[in-house]
Amino acid sequence: MRESAVNELFPVFLKTNELNVLLVGGGNVALEKLKTLLTNSPGTNISVVSREYQEAFIDFAERHENVYLETRDFEKEDIQDKQLIITALNDIDLSEEIMNLASDSGILYNAADKPDLCTFYLGSVVRKGHLKIGISTNGQSPTLAKRLKEILDENLPDELNESAIQLNSLRNFLKGDFRKKVKKMNQATAGLLVRAERPWYFFSPWKLLVYLLSVLGVMLAGHLIFTLIPLETIWLSASATFDSLTIDFAYFILAGFIAQMIDGALGMAYGISATTFLLSFGISPAISSMAVHASEIFTSGVSGIMHLRFGNVNTRLFKSLLIPGVLGAILGAYILSEFESYNQIIRPIVSAYTLFLGALIIYKVIRKKQARKKVTKAGWLGFLGGFLDSIGGGGWGPVVSSTLIARGKHPRMIVGSVNLAEFFVSLASSFTFFTVLGATSVWQPIAGLILGGVCAAPLAAYLASKLNIKALMLFVGIVVVIVSLRNFLTLLF
């Protein structure tokens, strides 16, 4: 494109969700272009070709089912049936070659950081729902465009989207000729030009009423609680609870601390670590599993929310795992609770299962890298994982996550989806245990595991980036195998 003293670009908004887009490149710049396309039009079909990809690129791309990755060099046939081509390459010769191919085929072309090769630019976009504002500096300074975007994004109110919807309804409602409609619309939007400032003495009577009612409600609730349950009763109950604590409570805290340290570093093995520890102290399998799942409600809940917030959840996979996993957890918890009187038979079986999980963890570390396969029958895997998780007090992560990572897509999306589903699995399992067994005999293990886990969580998060994950997995697998083998042999002989 020839340089000009004026910006000769004609701004348009493309319906890229109706186009086939080709992206060449797999680095940071290509990731930025991919995010720009999908942020503005999530339904865009994008084919990506690159000799290699960065981990962050794969992580983001595989969250979208309409992004197709191919690991190879660019070929001329790649531009067929494409209406838009974007390249993010350090190779100027290849960029020029693709530009010529696109030009000959009448395809719009953009080369990152090479404005002279572009037939269009990707400008910065301010989004407020249905409202979009495009910003372009004619390829001269993308940084300036980004700064202007930040200024507009910060100062334009989010209510503009609601205003756009209301104005559209008004436009459809208005009758008469075009001039009258325009006049009415101008009158309706005149308030957007001037924003009246409220005087310092202005107050909203409705907000004041809400504040007063909230304060009154809190005071009334507090009065009722301490009237029905006197402070003396609360103090005596707390003292009796504290006096009932035994040395085992300290061991439960230690178990929760160690299990959360492992889970914080590996993203799994909390249940199997805690259950193996509790079984070694002679606690029955049902009580151990109930305590572990009750404590996991808190840890998996927070973890699932964080994964959901940071976009690490594949919605389709989560839905496939949710219902089967919950049903499997309920069935496993019910069976284990009903056979509580057969502990001498169940405990060796559970110890053998934890032994298997420990061996599985070791196998995941030492095996050779395998080619990924498409995930199929995730629902049955979720059912099996939920069932075994309730029976053995753990295994949802090692069974479900490990299998999906080995056969599915990117590990971060698998871990995020599985962790979010784990919250509901733990909730269903705990509810079943509490319904059948009651909670009076298990509050100390639950409280100990939660307290130890809360103390370990910040430290585990810090050490996660410092430790060698494979070495830690190998260590955990060996410890679980040794302790499970000891429990198994002790119970048999």
Side-chain angles (χ1 to χ4, degrees):
M1 296 179 59
R2 65 184 181 86
E3 293 187 2
S4 174
V6 297
N7 190 333
E8 296 182 350
L9 297 177
F10 183 77
V12 296
F13 288 92
L14 300 175
K15 294 182 178 180
T16 54
N17 60 314
E18 300 179 3
L19 305 179
N20 292 320
V21 180
L22 172 65
L23 174 62
V24 183
N28 289 328
V29 179
L31 175 58
E32 183 179 351
K33 302 300 182 184
L34 182 64
K35 287 182 176 179
T36 299
L37 286 169
L38 293 177
T39 300
N40 285 281
S41 184
T44 303
N45 291 316
I46 305 174
S47 300
V48 187
V49 176
S50 180
R51 184 181 303 172
E52 57 184 4
Y53 297 96
Q54 291 190 356
E55 190 74 10
F57 190 98
I58 299 177
D59 181 19
F60 180 81
E62 293 197 334
R63 301 177 196 176
H64 302 82
E65 297 181 353
N66 50 323
V67 178
Y68 310 95
L69 305 183
E70 293 191 50
T71 307
R72 56 175 175 79
D73 290 328
F74 169 81
E75 299 175 358
K76 295 181 180 180
E77 292 75 16
D78 292 329
I79 71 170
Q80 293 181 359
D81 300 323
K82 302 297 187 298
Q83 292 83 40
L84 206 68
I85 299 176
I86 300 174
T87 60
L89 303 168
N90 292 325
D91 191 337
I92 184 65
D93 294 332
L94 180 56
S95 298
E96 290 182 351
E97 178 186 348
I98 298 176
M99 179 199 69
N100 293 327
L101 291 172
S103 178
D104 294 339
S105 302
I107 302 174
L108 294 175
Y109 176 69
N110 175 273
D113 298 327
K114 301 174 182 64
D116 291 340
L117 301 181
C118 299
T119 56
F120 74 97
Y121 297 140
L122 294 175
S124 295
V125 178
V126 179
R127 296 184 301 125
K128 297 291 180 180
H130 290 286
L131 175 67
K132 283 189 178 182
I133 302 174
I135 304 172
S136 173
T137 59
N138 202 19
Q140 300 302 307
S141 179
T143 302
L144 176 60
K146 290 181 181 179
R147 289 291 176 260
L148 290 175
K149 171 190 173 182
E150 293 173 0
I151 294 173
L152 291 174
D153 195 45
E154 181 178 350
N155 289 279
L156 291 177
D158 293 331
E159 290 78 10
L160 284 175
N161 179 52
E162 184 179 349
S163 299
I165 297 174
Q166 293 174 349
L167 288 170
N168 180 60
S169 300
L170 175 61
R171 184 186 64 177
N172 295 330
F173 174 77
L174 291 175
K175 306 297 182 181
D177 59 23
F178 178 75
R179 289 185 178 181
K180 289 183 178 180
K181 288 185 177 181
V182 172
K183 183 178 179 180
K184 291 289 186 181
M185 296 295 292
N186 287 336
Q187 291 175 352
T189 57
L192 296 174
L193 299 177
V194 180
R195 190 171 183 178
E197 294 184 0
R198 293 176 176 178
W200 64 270
Y201 53 83
F202 176 85
F203 73 96
S204 171
W206 291 109
K207 286 187 177 181
L208 180 62
L209 180 61
V210 171
Y211 292 151
L212 291 177
L213 290 177
S214 299
V215 173
L216 182 62
V218 171
M219 294 175 61
L220 182 61
H223 175 72
L224 291 175
I225 290 174
F226 290 115
T227 299
L228 297 174
I229 309 176
L231 287 175
E232 182 180 359
T233 303
I234 297 175
W235 173 258
L236 291 175
S237 299
S239 299
T241 301
F242 184 78
D243 292 338
S244 66
L245 294 177
T246 63
I247 187 63
D248 289 344
F249 185 69
Y251 295 138
F252 299 147
I253 294 177
L254 179 62
F257 185 89
I258 295 174
Q260 183 58 40
M261 287 290 293
I262 294 171
D263 185 72
L266 300 181
M268 63 179 184
Y270 174 88
I272 185 60
S273 303
T275 300
T276 303
F277 191 94
L278 294 177
L279 288 175
S280 66
F281 276 86
I283 298 177
S284 69
I287 298 298
S288 298
S289 185
M290 179 164 60
V292 167
H293 285 94
S295 63
E296 274 188 326
I297 292 176
F298 299 91
T299 56
S300 62
V302 174
S303 177
I305 291 173
M306 291 297 101
H307 280 295
L308 187 63
R309 179 180 177 183
F310 289 109
N312 294 336
V313 175
N314 184 311
T315 304
R316 179 176 295 181
L317 176 60
F318 167 71
K319 291 180 179 179
S320 299
L321 295 174
L322 179 59
I323 301 301
V326 167
L327 294 178
I330 293 174
L331 179 62
Y334 180 78
I335 291 176
L336 189 63
S337 301
E338 285 296 315
F339 287 89
E340 174 74 0
S341 57
Y342 297 93
N343 278 335
Q344 297 302 320
I345 299 175
I346 295 177
R347 288 180 65 186
I349 297 175
V350 175
S351 295
Y353 171 63
T354 58
L355 177 65
F356 162 75
L357 289 182
L360 178 65
I361 293 173
I362 296 175
Y363 168 73
K364 298 297 183 183
V365 177
I366 63 177
R367 70 174 181 178
K368 295 182 179 180
K369 188 175 181 180
Q370 298 178 349
R372 293 178 179 174
K373 303 177 182 178
K374 186 177 181 180
V375 179
T376 57
K377 299 180 180 179
W380 286 107
L381 179 64
F383 180 84
L384 179 63
F387 179 79
L388 294 177
D389 189 65
S390 290
I391 290 289
W396 175 259
V399 172
V400 180
S401 293
S402 298
T403 303
L404 290 175
I405 289 173
R407 302 187 62 190
K409 295 185 177 181
H410 194 265
R412 188 169 301 172
M413 296 300 295
I414 297 298
V415 171
S417 305
V418 171
N419 276 9
L420 183 59
E422 184 180 14
F423 166 75
F424 297 96
V425 170
S426 299
L427 189 63
S429 180
S430 299
F431 179 79
T432 306
F433 278 125
F434 285 134
T435 301
V436 178
L437 297 177
T440 55
S441 61
V442 77
W443 74 268
Q444 289 195 44
I446 295 175
L449 291 177
I450 293 175
L451 183 59
V454 169
C455 295
L459 182 59
Y462 171 76
L463 293 179
S465 60
K466 306 294 182 181
L467 299 176
N468 186 304
I469 300 300
K470 285 193 173 182
L472 182 60
M473 284 186 67
L474 185 62
F475 172 76
V476 171
I478 292 174
V479 170
V480 170
V481 166
I482 292 176
V483 176
S484 299
L485 187 60
R486 172 186 172 276
N487 292 340
F488 182 74
L489 294 177
T490 301
L491 294 170
L492 286 182
F493 306 104

